Amino acid sequence: MILRLGIALVSGILMGLTPAPLNAWFLAWFALAPLWVLIVKNPKLASTHRLYFILQPLLWGIGYHGLAISWITGIHPMTWMGVPWLASLAIASFCWLFIALWGASLVITWATCLSWINHKFKIFPWLRVLIGTALWCGLEAFWSSGALWCASLSYTQSPHNLLILHLGQISGYSTITAAIVAVNGLIAEAWINRKDTKKQHSSASLQSTFYWRYLTTAIILLIGLHIVGFQLYNRPLTQSTTTALKVGIIQGNIPNEIKLYPDGWQRAIEGYTNGYKTLADQKVDAILTPETALPFTLSELKRGSFYSAILEKGVVAWLGGFGEHGRSITNSLFTITGTGNIFSEYDKTKLVPLGEYIPFEEFLGRLIDRLSPLDAHLVAGSPSQIFDTPFGRAIVGICYESAFSEHFRRQAAAGGEFILTASNNAHYSKSMPAQHHALDVMRAIETDRWAVRATNTGYSGIVNPHGKTVWLSGINTYEIHADTIYRRQTQTLYVRWGDWLTPVLLVGSAIALLFYIFGLKIEINRR
């Protein structure tokens, strides 16, 4: 039993090595297979030793999610917020454990459902692969509909496996997740049949045939999917000069330790004002700043030097700050025209759990204080917002929203022509900005849009619709950069139809299972 648990944990850790910044993306194509084998090989385990059975997907999930989101421990120490060192350590540990377990709960649910169906109906391997793939995609869709969304299997391929990431244009990230689960399932089924060959000598030839059939199918599927991705990747980008937009990016590099205090305010005002003036002199059309670049409300901003610089230079600014809504505030991005008018406002819709608000606050509020030092209460913006600019409609994501592909798809379907993402990222370790960049690469490919990223401490960047990073800033550096992007009005299959693959897989697997059960009953009656 210890060996089985060890295999589950190690294979989960292997999957945890795949996301940025480690980027061992190739491991994702077989790191789930050991857990699959453990679940299928002993179908009675879930009913006879439930705790032991649950430990297997739990350890796999902790290995994957725990390693993938380990950057969250970078919020420690929070002594700059007045949190004692030991309390800060406890809060950081709690956040990591809570999110890792939430991600692991998806794996446990998947394993339990697949094991029950397999044990109840004794399904054959091909149907098992179909059902296992459909279940995982369905669970990811369900988990992503909530406020706390962890690491999808799809983002194990970003930002380096651009060919497979182009499958996201078909049905979003679920296309990539389905591909990974299906290949892993076929490899697992090949292994299961290989082991059976040793035990059933009378049917060794038949079992060997099935072993090679599953393994060959996995290889063909893996290669075929990359070929499809290559075809999508090779489509030329039509870029008319009439759609060109020269944008500037300011990476202020204001550490969180000082950002919300007088020293930080002064440094931010000077850095962003000087950066704005320099970029304006480079004849950019607009300038993007990070999330809460100037942590003030609009009424306060209009009394500062940055606003005066806008009136002086006359260049559009996309400014991160705080919006006022009664007694509450929003984490917002404003379009400020060269005449100083507020052209549009976007309010962040996906607030950071445990950071900008506490999930189940009535239960957890006594255990952990809100990590933001702001005295005001942050509220979420409307999910149906659009963000018009003097250059056309934009797709906006603030920080955590980059994890939600549907958020970007909806705005693209509503006419968004380019992507603007504004983030802070300064609270966490260096692996978090790398993963955030990887998420924005996926969003750019899925929507077939240019993406402009401005962050506080890195990585800021420019990503083209094929996921190529045209420019990437350093980490923990003050930087300004000007580059040209192009507005696009194309609509990928995903933008038009959304995640159509997941319901097709779920319905298809349910129908296949019903036919299998019906056919099995007919066979029994004949006997």
Side-chain angles (χ1 to χ4, degrees):
M1 287 190 176
I2 298 299
L3 177 61
R4 293 170 66 95
L5 295 178
I7 291 173
L9 177 60
V10 170
S11 59
I13 290 174
L14 288 177
M15 188 66 81
L17 298 174
T18 57
L22 298 176
N23 295 312
W25 57 266
F26 52 89
L27 295 177
W29 297 98
F30 57 83
L32 179 60
L35 179 62
W36 190 297
V37 173
L38 293 175
I39 292 168
V40 171
K41 281 293 288 181
N42 194 346
K44 295 182 179 180
L45 193 62
S47 57
T48 57
H49 297 83
R50 292 182 182 178
L51 179 60
Y52 174 66
F53 172 83
I54 290 175
L55 279 176
Q56 294 174 137
L58 173 64
L59 289 174
W60 193 95
I62 290 176
Y64 171 44
H65 293 283
L67 185 57
I69 54 94
S70 59
W71 45 261
I72 200 169
T73 58
I75 61 175
H76 172 73
M78 293 178 281
T79 50
W80 59 277
M81 293 170 57
V83 180
W85 194 92
L86 285 178
S88 172
L89 179 62
I91 291 172
S93 300
F94 173 82
C95 290
W96 173 82
L97 183 61
F98 183 87
I99 297 175
L101 290 176
W102 181 250
S105 65
L106 183 152
V107 188
I108 294 171
T109 305
W110 173 80
T112 303
C113 292
L114 182 60
S115 177
W116 182 83
I117 294 172
N118 182 51
H119 177 56
K120 178 73 174 178
F121 303 109
K122 296 180 174 54
I123 55 178
F124 56 88
W126 297 110
L127 182 55
R128 203 154 50 219
V129 172
L130 175 61
I131 292 175
T133 302
L135 281 173
W136 197 293
C137 289
L139 289 170
E140 280 200 353
F142 179 75
W143 254 248
S144 67
S145 66
L148 186 58
W149 176 220
C150 298
S152 164
L153 288 185
S154 60
Y155 98 139
T156 62
Q157 304 301 293
S158 188
H160 294 297
N161 192 358
L162 293 180
L163 301 187
I164 212 69
L165 290 180
H166 274 71
L167 297 182
Q169 294 185 347
I170 299 173
S171 185
Y173 71 89
S174 66
T175 324
I176 304 164
T177 294
I180 293 171
V181 177
V183 170
N184 273 273
L186 289 165
I187 293 173
E189 295 298 341
W191 177 261
I192 291 169
N193 278 273
R194 172 183 177 274
K195 298 294 287 183
D196 287 346
T197 299
K198 295 182 178 180
K199 296 180 180 180
Q200 303 173 12
H201 297 288
S202 61
S203 58
S205 177
L206 180 60
Q207 292 292 328
S208 180
T209 299
F210 281 117
Y211 161 67
W212 285 110
R213 186 177 296 176
Y214 300 134
L215 188 59
T216 302
T217 304
I219 294 171
I220 292 174
L221 182 61
L222 180 61
I223 295 174
L225 290 171
H226 279 79
I227 291 174
V228 173
F230 178 76
Q231 296 297 323
L232 294 171
Y233 176 79
N234 249 1
R235 289 181 177 178
L237 295 177
T238 55
Q239 299 174 160
S240 169
T241 54
T242 59
T243 63
L245 183 64
K246 189 175 183 181
V247 295
I249 299 172
I250 308 174
Q251 180 172 295
N253 193 34
I254 314 297
N256 269 11
E257 289 81 356
I258 64 171
K259 182 177 181 180
L260 298 176
Y261 301 101
D263 289 345
W265 298 341
Q266 187 60 38
R267 180 169 160 179
I269 292 169
E270 291 178 0
Y272 286 106
T273 301
N274 293 335
Y276 174 89
K277 290 180 177 179
T278 301
L279 289 168
D281 290 339
Q282 295 180 25
K283 306 301 181 184
V284 298
D285 297 307
I287 297 168
L288 177 65
T289 69
E291 173 188 21
T292 59
L294 296 178
F296 309 111
T297 61
L298 275 178
S299 56
E300 294 170 319
L301 285 168
K302 289 183 177 181
R303 297 194 295 267
S305 60
F306 186 88
Y307 187 78
S308 298
I310 293 176
L311 297 178
E312 175 189 346
K313 297 293 185 180
V315 175
V316 171
W318 289 307
L319 178 64
F322 292 122
E324 297 176 280
H325 296 268
R327 295 183 178 181
S328 299
I329 61 173
T330 55
N331 186 342
S332 304
L333 188 71
F334 301 97
T335 300
I336 305 178
T337 65
T339 58
N341 295 322
I342 308 302
F343 190 90
S344 57
E345 175 183 345
Y346 172 84
D347 302 326
K348 184 177 181 180
T349 65
K350 300 288 186 179
L351 300 182
V352 179
L354 304 176
E356 293 169 323
Y357 81 101
I358 300 176
F360 319 114
E361 189 167 0
E362 63 272 26
F363 304 109
L364 301 180
R366 297 180 181 180
L367 298 177
I368 179 172
D369 289 328
R370 187 159 54 94
L371 301 183
S372 170
L374 299 171
D375 292 329
H377 179 64
L378 279 178
V379 294
S382 169
S384 60
Q385 293 175 90
I386 57 174
F387 191 70
D388 287 320
T389 77
F391 316 103
R393 187 164 293 174
I395 302 165
V396 181
I398 297 180
C399 193
Y400 180 52
E401 292 176 327
S402 291
F404 297 85
S405 62
E406 173 59 24
H407 174 77
F408 288 74
R409 188 207 69 82
R410 180 193 62 79
Q411 294 182 77
E417 298 177 315
F418 54 96
I419 296 174
L420 302 173
T421 60
S423 307
N424 186 357
N425 294 348
H427 340 286
Y428 309 109
S429 65
K430 293 181 180 180
S431 58
M432 193 275 185
Q435 289 184 12
H436 201 158
H437 173 68
L439 289 170
D440 281 347
V441 167
M442 294 180 68
R443 306 294 85 91
I445 294 173
E446 291 165 355
T447 57
D448 193 37
R449 296 293 187 268
W450 283 82
V452 186
R453 308 186 63 246
T455 71
N456 179 11
T457 55
Y459 298 103
S460 302
I462 303 284
V463 180
N464 78 10
H466 280 324
K468 288 185 177 179
T469 301
V470 176
W471 173 76
L472 192 67
S473 74
I475 194 81
N476 296 326
T477 56
Y478 175 85
E479 298 191 34
I480 59 173
H481 180 77
D483 220 319
T484 300
I485 66 170
Y486 297 85
R487 292 168 287 143
R488 295 172 66 82
Q489 296 179 337
T490 58
Q491 288 201 339
T492 64
L493 191 62
Y494 172 59
V495 169
R496 293 198 301 269
W497 291 3
D499 178 15
W500 57 268
L501 179 61
T502 296
V504 166
L505 285 172
L506 289 170
V507 172
S509 60
I511 293 173
L513 181 60
L514 289 174
F515 271 103
Y516 173 77
I517 295 171
F518 182 72
L520 193 62
K521 286 182 178 180
I522 293 177
E523 183 66 24
I524 292 173
N525 291 333
R526 284 178 180 177
R527 293 178 183 178

